[in-house]
Amino acid sequence: MSLDAAILKALRSSPSRGVSGADLSQQLGVSRAAVWARMEELRQLGYDISASPHFGYKLVSVPDVLHADDLLSRLDGKQVIGRDIHVFQSTTSTNDIVEKMARDGAREGVVVFAETQTQGRGRLGRKWVSPPKRGLWFSILLKPDLRPQSSTQITVGAAVALTRAIQARTSIVVETKWPNDLLIDGRKVAGILTELRAEPDKIKYLILGIGIDVNVRPEEFPEEIRHLATSLRAVTGHQVHRADLAEAVLRELDQVYRDICREDFTGVAQEWEQNCSTIGREVTVTFGEHTIHGIAESLDFDGALLVRSQHGHLERILGGEIHVLPKPGRSKGSPRP
Ligand code: BT5
């Protein structure tokens, strides 16, 4: 852990009493002058750190910036997801950076955030809009011991983790749409992009890319998606602290990932089904030229969506475009019962 991360961790562990320069210097094995110099640097970055002869140093407030040392200092050091964190001011796509790290042999669990992306992407070559400093745009390298067909478990697990973290930090209950959308009142607030390198029966590595619209203002979405997208700020009416949310998201992702690696996907699937706007609904699934129409019944053991087709067959859906049809209701002119 870097010196900045160790200092922030020590300050967080004693929020009311503060920590003296002498204690910090002893704890961290550096001089008091070195501690003082790091405090100055952190203040330059916007961290409000008070200092008094009586109480020592105290962390008063944290800026709304993403800072790798700050994020690392919030985690317990035993987690897989977030054992190494990088923050870029701008990238093409965080998935590209992680892909390169994976090819260079990085360990699983590394997380790359960017304050903005110039070529953020969704599935099937679609664009992902990433306005600077308004969201959490990040990717994680994972090496799960799963068959490629089961990678949907990771996407579904990520949706569960995001749902928990968003609810904990904002009290908003988001809906999930299989496999990768998080919605509020039918508008998309987050998306998940899972990209893999695999051998026929084993995942070599998987890149989990996540975009959360935290403080995006409606006018910052391009016109063509304004009616489809929303942000946590737009819904709550106030700014949401991105580093606090990032901390909650990383903790929940780590928890869910451990469950999946322990082959305990059932609990994750049940939680997903509770928040899901797809199960029980009439859906159309399109793969290229091919379309299936039916009722989404449940999730299979590996995360596939089970759809009962018009012809009564149970179809396992692992990809494609899913469209949830509106619930049947009375049309305007229909008589009241
Ligand atoms: C997704 O694709 O929802 C996956 C999005 C993953 C984004 C993250 S950000 C970090 C990492 N690095 C990347 O380059 N990507 C990942 P899909 O289901 O294909 O949805 C894409 C569609 O969502 C677009 O065609 C737009 O209609 C809409 N969209 C684009 N930007 C959006 C935004 N910021 N918020 C809500 N909707 C958006």
Side-chain angles (χ1 to χ4, degrees):
M1 190 182 283
S2 73
L3 192 50
D4 283 4
I7 287 176
L8 288 168
K9 199 173 196 62
L11 294 178
R12 282 209 167 86
S13 68
S14 187
S16 44
R17 285 186 48 233
V19 194
S20 74
D23 283 351
L24 277 173
S25 121
Q26 199 188 22
Q27 225 173 300
L28 307 175
V30 295
S31 68
R32 286 178 70 171
V35 170
W36 181 84
R38 294 320 307 161
M39 293 293 179
E40 283 306 300
E41 285 283 326
L42 287 167
R43 286 186 179 124
Q44 294 291 323
L45 290 169
Y47 290 82
D48 186 356
I49 299 170
S50 68
S52 78
H54 220 67
F55 295 110
Y57 294 107
K58 270 192 200 175
L59 186 59
V60 179
S61 71
V62 174
D64 187 32
V65 292
L66 298 177
H67 179 33
D69 288 323
D70 180 14
L71 295 171
L72 279 167
S73 76
R74 294 162 179 260
L75 304 173
D76 65 10
K78 298 191 193 113
Q79 73 285 354
V80 172
I81 292 184
R83 52 160 57 129
D84 192 9
I85 299 180
H86 301 264
V87 177
F88 289 76
Q89 288 309 305
S90 177
T91 58
T92 49
S93 154
T94 51
N95 271 38
D96 293 343
I97 306 279
V98 171
E99 167 83 50
K100 186 171 179 318
M101 289 178 168
R103 278 193 262 117
D104 291 346
R107 281 199 304 172
E108 75 165 341
V110 58
V111 185
V112 172
F113 287 87
E115 288 287 19
T116 188
Q117 302 181 108
T118 52
Q119 288 168 42
R121 60 177 178 266
R123 294 178 310 147
L124 309 167
R126 287 188 288 238
K127 266 196 187 165
W128 184 261
V129 178
S130 325
K133 300 193 166 120
R134 296 286 199 236
L136 292 177
W137 327 120
F138 64 106
S139 303
I140 305 169
L141 176 62
L142 296 173
K143 300 185 179 174
D145 187 12
L146 290 177
R147 294 160 70 85
Q149 306 89 293
S150 296
S151 64
T152 312
Q153 287 189 6
I154 304 284
T155 313
V156 166
V160 166
L162 296 189
T163 305
R164 285 186 197 162
I166 291 173
Q167 188 167 1
R169 291 291 171 186
T170 65
S171 305
I172 297 173
V173 181
V174 295
E175 287 168 33
T176 42
K177 176 175 166 240
W178 190 89
N180 72 324
D181 283 355
L182 265 69
L183 310 173
I184 303 174
D185 294 333
R187 290 177 179 218
K188 185 152 166 168
V189 70
I192 303 165
L193 172 70
T194 309
E195 295 181 323
L196 320 172
R197 292 289 168 269
E199 286 154 8
D201 58 0
K202 191 176 174 353
I203 292 176
K204 273 173 75 180
Y205 59 83
L206 179 151
I207 300 168
L208 180 64
I210 296 178
I212 311 177
D213 299 306
V214 184
N215 294 318
V216 185
R217 293 161 196 265
E219 65 275 16
E220 290 168 329
F221 288 117
E223 212 173 314
E224 62 275 16
I225 65 164
R226 220 168 274 167
H227 61 295
L228 303 172
T230 190
S231 72
L232 299 176
R233 183 184 192 280
V235 176
T236 57
H238 58 77
Q239 186 93 354
V240 174
H241 197 279
R242 291 179 308 141
D244 287 351
L245 180 64
E247 172 191 347
V249 166
L250 294 179
R251 283 181 194 277
E252 295 296 350
L253 282 168
D254 190 58
Q255 184 62 52
V256 170
Y257 185 58
R258 282 169 198 265
D259 289 345
I260 293 174
C261 291
R262 276 201 309 265
E263 298 186 14
D264 187 8
F265 181 63
T266 322
V268 176
Q270 280 167 354
E271 193 172 335
W272 183 88
E273 285 182 3
Q274 277 164 17
N275 297 314
C276 168
S277 62
T278 317
I279 302 295
R281 298 286 296 273
E282 199 177 345
V283 296
T284 310
V285 191
T286 319
F287 328 78
E289 305 282 281
H290 191 61
T291 302
I292 293 175
H293 184 89
I295 305 287
E297 282 199 349
S298 59
L299 277 192
D300 209 350
F301 68 95
D302 58 357
L305 185 68
L306 296 175
V307 174
R308 179 78 57 189
S309 77
Q310 293 151 299
H311 314 294
H313 301 299
L314 201 54
E315 306 271 358
R316 274 171 47 79
I317 311 295
L318 276 162
E321 235 0 82
I322 179 154
H323 181 60
V324 182
L325 302 176
K327 283 185 183 155
R330 276 197 322 273
S331 63
K332 270 188 180 164
S334 58
R336 287 184 174 279

